PDB file of all heavy atoms in Angstrom:
ATOM      1  N   HIS A   1       0.833  -1.203  -0.001  1.00 87.00           N
ATOM      2  CA  HIS A   1      -0.008  -0.019  -0.002  1.00 87.00           C
ATOM      3  C   HIS A   1       0.810   1.281   0.051  1.00 87.00           C
ATOM      4  O   HIS A   1       0.519   2.285  -0.639  1.00 87.00           O
ATOM      5  CB  HIS A   1      -0.892  -0.034   1.176  1.00 87.00           C
ATOM      6  CG  HIS A   1      -1.972  -1.108   1.197  1.00 87.00           C
ATOM      7  ND1 HIS A   1      -2.965  -1.224   0.252  1.00 87.00           N
ATOM      8  CD2 HIS A   1      -2.167  -2.191   2.057  1.00 87.00           C
ATOM      9  CE1 HIS A   1      -3.630  -2.266   0.506  1.00 87.00           C
ATOM     10  NE2 HIS A   1      -3.238  -2.883   1.568  1.00 87.00           N
ATOM     11  N   THR A   2       2.056   1.185   0.696  1.00 85.00           N
ATOM     12  CA  THR A   2       2.824   2.387   0.753  1.00 85.00           C
ATOM     13  C   THR A   2       3.702   2.578  -0.516  1.00 85.00           C
ATOM     14  O   THR A   2       4.244   3.701  -0.771  1.00 85.00           O
ATOM     15  CB  THR A   2       3.819   2.299   2.017  1.00 85.00           C
ATOM     16  OG1 THR A   2       4.629   1.183   1.818  1.00 85.00           O
ATOM     17  CG2 THR A   2       2.907   2.115   3.220  1.00 85.00           C
ATOM     18  N   GLY A   3       4.031   1.506  -1.120  1.00 82.00           N
ATOM     19  CA  GLY A   3       4.882   1.540  -2.324  1.00 82.00           C
ATOM     20  C   GLY A   3       6.384   1.595  -2.065  1.00 82.00           C
ATOM     21  O   GLY A   3       7.219   1.603  -2.918  1.00 82.00           O
ATOM     22  N   VAL A   4       6.668   1.532  -0.687  1.00 84.00           N
ATOM     23  CA  VAL A   4       8.147   1.474  -0.371  1.00 84.00           C
ATOM     24  C   VAL A   4       8.760   0.093  -0.641  1.00 84.00           C
ATOM     25  O   VAL A   4       8.198  -0.947  -0.518  1.00 84.00           O
ATOM     26  CB  VAL A   4       8.266   1.735   1.266  1.00 84.00           C
ATOM     27  CG1 VAL A   4       9.754   1.614   1.660  1.00 84.00           C
ATOM     28  CG2 VAL A   4       7.649   3.028   1.565  1.00 84.00           C
ATOM     29  N   LYS A   5      10.048   0.238  -1.206  1.00 86.00           N
ATOM     30  CA  LYS A   5      10.757  -0.937  -1.594  1.00 86.00           C
ATOM     31  C   LYS A   5      12.138  -0.840  -0.832  1.00 86.00           C
ATOM     32  O   LYS A   5      12.932  -0.350  -1.325  1.00 86.00           O
ATOM     33  CB  LYS A   5      10.987  -1.015  -3.090  1.00 86.00           C
ATOM     34  CG  LYS A   5       9.672  -1.228  -3.835  1.00 86.00           C
ATOM     35  CD  LYS A   5       9.949  -1.388  -5.327  1.00 86.00           C
ATOM     36  CE  LYS A   5       8.678  -1.623  -6.077  1.00 86.00           C
ATOM     37  NZ  LYS A   5       8.883  -1.829  -7.590  1.00 86.00           N
ATOM     38  N   PRO A   6      12.143  -1.369   0.481  1.00 85.00           N
ATOM     39  CA  PRO A   6      13.367  -1.132   1.231  1.00 85.00           C
ATOM     40  C   PRO A   6      14.520  -1.954   0.953  1.00 85.00           C
ATOM     41  O   PRO A   6      15.569  -1.665   1.511  1.00 85.00           O
ATOM     42  CB  PRO A   6      12.731  -1.428   2.651  1.00 85.00           C
ATOM     43  CG  PRO A   6      11.648  -2.358   2.429  1.00 85.00           C
ATOM     44  CD  PRO A   6      11.044  -2.049   1.126  1.00 85.00           C
ATOM     45  N   PHE A   7      14.345  -3.016   0.155  1.00 87.00           N
ATOM     46  CA  PHE A   7      15.507  -3.956  -0.087  1.00 87.00           C
ATOM     47  C   PHE A   7      16.162  -3.675  -1.477  1.00 87.00           C
ATOM     48  O   PHE A   7      15.508  -3.816  -2.427  1.00 87.00           O
ATOM     49  CB  PHE A   7      14.985  -5.383  -0.027  1.00 87.00           C
ATOM     50  CG  PHE A   7      14.428  -5.706   1.361  1.00 87.00           C
ATOM     51  CD1 PHE A   7      13.063  -5.699   1.459  1.00 87.00           C
ATOM     52  CD2 PHE A   7      15.119  -5.946   2.448  1.00 87.00           C
ATOM     53  CE1 PHE A   7      12.481  -5.971   2.699  1.00 87.00           C
ATOM     54  CE2 PHE A   7      14.514  -6.171   3.754  1.00 87.00           C
ATOM     55  CZ  PHE A   7      13.212  -6.277   3.850  1.00 87.00           C
ATOM     56  N   GLN A   8      17.295  -3.149  -1.392  1.00 91.00           N
ATOM     57  CA  GLN A   8      17.996  -2.665  -2.578  1.00 91.00           C
ATOM     58  C   GLN A   8      19.254  -3.567  -2.937  1.00 91.00           C
ATOM     59  O   GLN A   8      20.027  -4.022  -2.098  1.00 91.00           O
ATOM     60  CB  GLN A   8      18.561  -1.228  -2.420  1.00 91.00           C
ATOM     61  CG  GLN A   8      19.190  -0.681  -3.677  1.00 91.00           C
ATOM     62  CD  GLN A   8      19.487   0.794  -3.518  1.00 91.00           C
ATOM     63  OE1 GLN A   8      20.112   1.201  -2.553  1.00 91.00           O
ATOM     64  NE2 GLN A   8      19.253   1.576  -4.566  1.00 91.00           N
ATOM     65  N   CYS A   9      19.386  -3.957  -4.267  1.00 91.00           N
ATOM     66  CA  CYS A   9      20.473  -4.719  -4.754  1.00 91.00           C
ATOM     67  C   CYS A   9      21.816  -3.848  -4.773  1.00 91.00           C
ATOM     68  O   CYS A   9      21.737  -2.791  -5.326  1.00 91.00           O
ATOM     69  CB  CYS A   9      20.120  -5.270  -6.264  1.00 91.00           C
ATOM     70  SG  CYS A   9      21.501  -6.105  -6.975  1.00 91.00           S
ATOM     71  N   SER A  10      22.840  -4.485  -4.155  1.00 89.00           N
ATOM     72  CA  SER A  10      24.128  -3.713  -4.153  1.00 89.00           C
ATOM     73  C   SER A  10      24.837  -3.697  -5.422  1.00 89.00           C
ATOM     74  O   SER A  10      25.760  -2.933  -5.658  1.00 89.00           O
ATOM     75  CB  SER A  10      24.923  -4.339  -3.018  1.00 89.00           C
ATOM     76  OG  SER A  10      25.151  -5.815  -3.296  1.00 89.00           O
ATOM     77  N   ASP A  11      24.401  -4.491  -6.401  1.00 88.00           N
ATOM     78  CA  ASP A  11      25.060  -4.625  -7.686  1.00 88.00           C
ATOM     79  C   ASP A  11      24.532  -3.720  -8.724  1.00 88.00           C
ATOM     80  O   ASP A  11      25.214  -2.971  -9.417  1.00 88.00           O
ATOM     81  CB  ASP A  11      24.946  -5.964  -8.238  1.00 88.00           C
ATOM     82  CG  ASP A  11      25.967  -7.063  -7.566  1.00 88.00           C
ATOM     83  OD1 ASP A  11      26.787  -6.530  -6.710  1.00 88.00           O
ATOM     84  OD2 ASP A  11      25.901  -8.219  -7.788  1.00 88.00           O
ATOM     85  N   CYS A  12      23.148  -3.603  -8.752  1.00 92.00           N
ATOM     86  CA  CYS A  12      22.547  -2.754  -9.888  1.00 92.00           C
ATOM     87  C   CYS A  12      21.601  -1.692  -9.340  1.00 92.00           C
ATOM     88  O   CYS A  12      21.076  -0.835 -10.100  1.00 92.00           O
ATOM     89  CB  CYS A  12      21.737  -3.606 -10.838  1.00 92.00           C
ATOM     90  SG  CYS A  12      20.283  -4.526 -10.057  1.00 92.00           S
ATOM     91  N   GLY A  13      21.331  -1.697  -7.974  1.00 90.00           N
ATOM     92  CA  GLY A  13      20.481  -0.684  -7.431  1.00 90.00           C
ATOM     93  C   GLY A  13      18.970  -0.916  -7.349  1.00 90.00           C
ATOM     94  O   GLY A  13      18.178  -0.085  -6.953  1.00 90.00           O
ATOM     95  N   LYS A  14      18.639  -1.966  -8.076  1.00 92.00           N
ATOM     96  CA  LYS A  14      17.144  -2.292  -8.130  1.00 92.00           C
ATOM     97  C   LYS A  14      16.571  -2.574  -6.801  1.00 92.00           C
ATOM     98  O   LYS A  14      17.211  -3.212  -5.935  1.00 92.00           O
ATOM     99  CB  LYS A  14      16.963  -3.553  -9.041  1.00 92.00           C
ATOM    100  CG  LYS A  14      15.370  -3.716  -9.365  1.00 92.00           C
ATOM    101  CD  LYS A  14      15.358  -4.874 -10.392  1.00 92.00           C
ATOM    102  CE  LYS A  14      13.927  -5.064 -10.842  1.00 92.00           C
ATOM    103  NZ  LYS A  14      13.677  -6.259 -11.837  1.00 92.00           N
ATOM    104  N   THR A  15      15.361  -2.115  -6.536  1.00 91.00           N
ATOM    105  CA  THR A  15      14.797  -2.247  -5.192  1.00 91.00           C
ATOM    106  C   THR A  15      13.535  -3.255  -5.209  1.00 91.00           C
ATOM    107  O   THR A  15      12.969  -3.470  -6.211  1.00 91.00           O
ATOM    108  CB  THR A  15      14.286  -0.943  -4.524  1.00 91.00           C
ATOM    109  OG1 THR A  15      13.432  -0.314  -5.568  1.00 91.00           O
ATOM    110  CG2 THR A  15      15.492  -0.003  -4.414  1.00 91.00           C
ATOM    111  N   PHE A  16      13.330  -3.831  -4.066  1.00 89.00           N
ATOM    112  CA  PHE A  16      12.269  -4.905  -3.943  1.00 89.00           C
ATOM    113  C   PHE A  16      11.421  -4.630  -2.656  1.00 89.00           C
ATOM    114  O   PHE A  16      11.857  -4.089  -1.646  1.00 89.00           O
ATOM    115  CB  PHE A  16      12.914  -6.207  -3.927  1.00 89.00           C
ATOM    116  CG  PHE A  16      13.717  -6.498  -5.155  1.00 89.00           C
ATOM    117  CD1 PHE A  16      15.060  -6.215  -5.254  1.00 89.00           C
ATOM    118  CD2 PHE A  16      13.096  -7.175  -6.247  1.00 89.00           C
ATOM    119  CE1 PHE A  16      15.824  -6.411  -6.338  1.00 89.00           C
ATOM    120  CE2 PHE A  16      13.901  -7.415  -7.356  1.00 89.00           C
ATOM    121  CZ  PHE A  16      15.195  -7.005  -7.413  1.00 89.00           C
ATOM    122  N   ILE A  17      10.207  -5.076  -2.716  1.00 83.00           N
ATOM    123  CA  ILE A  17       9.320  -5.060  -1.532  1.00 83.00           C
ATOM    124  C   ILE A  17       9.749  -5.986  -0.413  1.00 83.00           C
ATOM    125  O   ILE A  17       9.684  -5.659   0.745  1.00 83.00           O
ATOM    126  CB  ILE A  17       7.857  -5.291  -1.928  1.00 83.00           C
ATOM    127  CG1 ILE A  17       7.468  -4.172  -2.863  1.00 83.00           C
ATOM    128  CG2 ILE A  17       6.997  -5.446  -0.732  1.00 83.00           C
ATOM    129  CD1 ILE A  17       6.017  -4.332  -3.398  1.00 83.00           C
ATOM    130  N   GLN A  18      10.174  -7.229  -0.862  1.00 81.00           N
ATOM    131  CA  GLN A  18      10.427  -8.285   0.194  1.00 81.00           C
ATOM    132  C   GLN A  18      11.940  -8.664   0.052  1.00 81.00           C
ATOM    133  O   GLN A  18      12.504  -8.685  -1.081  1.00 81.00           O
ATOM    134  CB  GLN A  18       9.542  -9.435   0.101  1.00 81.00           C
ATOM    135  CG  GLN A  18       8.133  -9.156   0.309  1.00 81.00           C
ATOM    136  CD  GLN A  18       7.244 -10.391   0.346  1.00 81.00           C
ATOM    137  OE1 GLN A  18       7.732 -11.423   0.745  1.00 81.00           O
ATOM    138  NE2 GLN A  18       5.911 -10.198   0.028  1.00 81.00           N
ATOM    139  N   LYS A  19      12.361  -9.097   1.145  1.00 84.00           N
ATOM    140  CA  LYS A  19      13.920  -9.565   1.174  1.00 84.00           C
ATOM    141  C   LYS A  19      14.045 -10.827   0.301  1.00 84.00           C
ATOM    142  O   LYS A  19      15.067 -10.889  -0.340  1.00 84.00           O
ATOM    143  CB  LYS A  19      14.290  -9.762   2.631  1.00 84.00           C
ATOM    144  CG  LYS A  19      15.781  -9.982   2.848  1.00 84.00           C
ATOM    145  CD  LYS A  19      16.121 -10.079   4.299  1.00 84.00           C
ATOM    146  CE  LYS A  19      17.635 -10.165   4.417  1.00 84.00           C
ATOM    147  NZ  LYS A  19      18.042 -10.189   5.862  1.00 84.00           N
ATOM    148  N   ARG A  20      13.121 -11.709   0.421  1.00 84.00           N
ATOM    149  CA  ARG A  20      13.247 -12.946  -0.452  1.00 84.00           C
ATOM    150  C   ARG A  20      13.258 -12.591  -1.936  1.00 84.00           C
ATOM    151  O   ARG A  20      13.951 -13.263  -2.700  1.00 84.00           O
ATOM    152  CB  ARG A  20      12.126 -13.920  -0.115  1.00 84.00           C
ATOM    153  CG  ARG A  20      10.748 -13.541  -0.359  1.00 84.00           C
ATOM    154  CD  ARG A  20       9.732 -14.462   0.062  1.00 84.00           C
ATOM    155  NE  ARG A  20       8.340 -14.090  -0.154  1.00 84.00           N
ATOM    156  CZ  ARG A  20       7.640 -14.375  -1.220  1.00 84.00           C
ATOM    157  NH1 ARG A  20       8.202 -15.147  -2.169  1.00 84.00           N
ATOM    158  NH2 ARG A  20       6.388 -14.011  -1.367  1.00 84.00           N
ATOM    159  N   HIS A  21      12.612 -11.539  -2.342  1.00 88.00           N
ATOM    160  CA  HIS A  21      12.613 -11.156  -3.748  1.00 88.00           C
ATOM    161  C   HIS A  21      14.000 -10.724  -4.137  1.00 88.00           C
ATOM    162  O   HIS A  21      14.492 -10.888  -5.274  1.00 88.00           O
ATOM    163  CB  HIS A  21      11.523 -10.097  -4.044  1.00 88.00           C
ATOM    164  CG  HIS A  21      10.182 -10.494  -3.891  1.00 88.00           C
ATOM    165  ND1 HIS A  21       9.057  -9.571  -3.769  1.00 88.00           N
ATOM    166  CD2 HIS A  21       9.629 -11.811  -3.737  1.00 88.00           C
ATOM    167  CE1 HIS A  21       8.047 -10.312  -3.733  1.00 88.00           C
ATOM    168  NE2 HIS A  21       8.311 -11.475  -3.732  1.00 88.00           N
ATOM    169  N   LEU A  22      14.614  -9.954  -3.188  1.00 89.00           N
ATOM    170  CA  LEU A  22      16.084  -9.473  -3.458  1.00 89.00           C
ATOM    171  C   LEU A  22      16.908 -10.646  -3.458  1.00 89.00           C
ATOM    172  O   LEU A  22      17.866 -10.744  -4.408  1.00 89.00           O
ATOM    173  CB  LEU A  22      16.387  -8.581  -2.326  1.00 89.00           C
ATOM    174  CG  LEU A  22      17.951  -8.096  -2.302  1.00 89.00           C
ATOM    175  CD1 LEU A  22      18.328  -7.448  -3.519  1.00 89.00           C
ATOM    176  CD2 LEU A  22      18.228  -7.263  -0.998  1.00 89.00           C
ATOM    177  N   ARG A  23      16.771 -11.678  -2.602  1.00 88.00           N
ATOM    178  CA  ARG A  23      17.702 -12.829  -2.620  1.00 88.00           C
ATOM    179  C   ARG A  23      17.487 -13.530  -4.003  1.00 88.00           C
ATOM    180  O   ARG A  23      18.505 -13.993  -4.495  1.00 88.00           O
ATOM    181  CB  ARG A  23      17.313 -13.772  -1.474  1.00 88.00           C
ATOM    182  CG  ARG A  23      17.782 -13.302  -0.121  1.00 88.00           C
ATOM    183  CD  ARG A  23      17.795 -14.423   0.971  1.00 88.00           C
ATOM    184  NE  ARG A  23      16.456 -15.025   1.080  1.00 88.00           N
ATOM    185  CZ  ARG A  23      15.684 -14.556   2.118  1.00 88.00           C
ATOM    186  NH1 ARG A  23      16.023 -13.715   2.972  1.00 88.00           N
ATOM    187  NH2 ARG A  23      14.531 -15.213   2.216  1.00 88.00           N
ATOM    188  N   ASN A  24      16.255 -13.731  -4.477  1.00 90.00           N
ATOM    189  CA  ASN A  24      16.043 -14.314  -5.696  1.00 90.00           C
ATOM    190  C   ASN A  24      16.787 -13.563  -6.819  1.00 90.00           C
ATOM    191  O   ASN A  24      17.389 -14.225  -7.741  1.00 90.00           O
ATOM    192  CB  ASN A  24      14.639 -14.558  -6.035  1.00 90.00           C
ATOM    193  CG  ASN A  24      13.895 -15.535  -5.040  1.00 90.00           C
ATOM    194  OD1 ASN A  24      14.546 -16.419  -4.525  1.00 90.00           O
ATOM    195  ND2 ASN A  24      12.619 -15.438  -4.890  1.00 90.00           N
ATOM    196  N   HIS A  25      16.614 -12.312  -6.782  1.00 91.00           N
ATOM    197  CA  HIS A  25      17.231 -11.412  -7.809  1.00 91.00           C
ATOM    198  C   HIS A  25      18.867 -11.555  -7.771  1.00 91.00           C
ATOM    199  O   HIS A  25      19.479 -11.561  -8.799  1.00 91.00           O
ATOM    200  CB  HIS A  25      16.889  -9.924  -7.533  1.00 91.00           C
ATOM    201  CG  HIS A  25      17.647  -8.951  -8.286  1.00 91.00           C
ATOM    202  ND1 HIS A  25      17.511  -8.699  -9.678  1.00 91.00           N
ATOM    203  CD2 HIS A  25      18.788  -8.190  -7.991  1.00 91.00           C
ATOM    204  CE1 HIS A  25      18.416  -7.741 -10.020  1.00 91.00           C
ATOM    205  NE2 HIS A  25      19.096  -7.410  -9.028  1.00 91.00           N
ATOM    206  N   MET A  26      19.356 -11.622  -6.561  1.00 89.00           N
ATOM    207  CA  MET A  26      20.767 -11.715  -6.485  1.00 89.00           C
ATOM    208  C   MET A  26      21.375 -12.898  -7.153  1.00 89.00           C
ATOM    209  O   MET A  26      22.642 -12.983  -7.593  1.00 89.00           O
ATOM    210  CB  MET A  26      21.259 -11.669  -4.912  1.00 89.00           C
ATOM    211  CG  MET A  26      20.924 -10.299  -4.307  1.00 89.00           C
ATOM    212  SD  MET A  26      21.925  -8.957  -4.992  1.00 89.00           S
ATOM    213  CE  MET A  26      23.525  -9.342  -4.654  1.00 89.00           C
ATOM    214  N   THR A  27      20.586 -13.955  -7.312  1.00 88.00           N
ATOM    215  CA  THR A  27      21.099 -15.257  -7.922  1.00 88.00           C
ATOM    216  C   THR A  27      21.388 -14.859  -9.504  1.00 88.00           C
ATOM    217  O   THR A  27      22.233 -15.560 -10.036  1.00 88.00           O
ATOM    218  CB  THR A  27      20.096 -16.367  -7.870  1.00 88.00           C
ATOM    219  OG1 THR A  27      18.929 -15.928  -8.446  1.00 88.00           O
ATOM    220  CG2 THR A  27      19.916 -16.766  -6.342  1.00 88.00           C
ATOM    221  N   VAL A  28      20.748 -13.888 -10.059  1.00 88.00           N
ATOM    222  CA  VAL A  28      20.986 -13.507 -11.425  1.00 88.00           C
ATOM    223  C   VAL A  28      22.406 -13.066 -11.528  1.00 88.00           C
ATOM    224  O   VAL A  28      23.075 -13.416 -12.427  1.00 88.00           O
ATOM    225  CB  VAL A  28      19.973 -12.474 -11.817  1.00 88.00           C
ATOM    226  CG1 VAL A  28      20.282 -12.000 -13.253  1.00 88.00           C
ATOM    227  CG2 VAL A  28      18.446 -12.963 -11.789  1.00 88.00           C
TER     228      VAL A  28
END
């Protein structure tokens, strides 16, 4: 509802709503 994406990728700067989404992204 807030639109906040607090989890940011240290490689490309992309942000995510949930930490698990960031972890999945980091595998790329």
Side-chain angles (χ1 to χ4, degrees):
H1 295 298
T2 62
V4 176
K5 296 182 178 182
F7 303 101
Q8 186 175 42
C9 174
S10 58
D11 285 353
C12 67
K14 190 173 182 180
T15 56
F16 300 88
I17 292 175
Q18 294 187 31
K19 191 173 184 178
R20 63 186 178 90
H21 294 163
L22 171 59
R23 285 198 299 265
N24 292 338
H25 166 79
M26 291 300 291
T27 61
V28 175

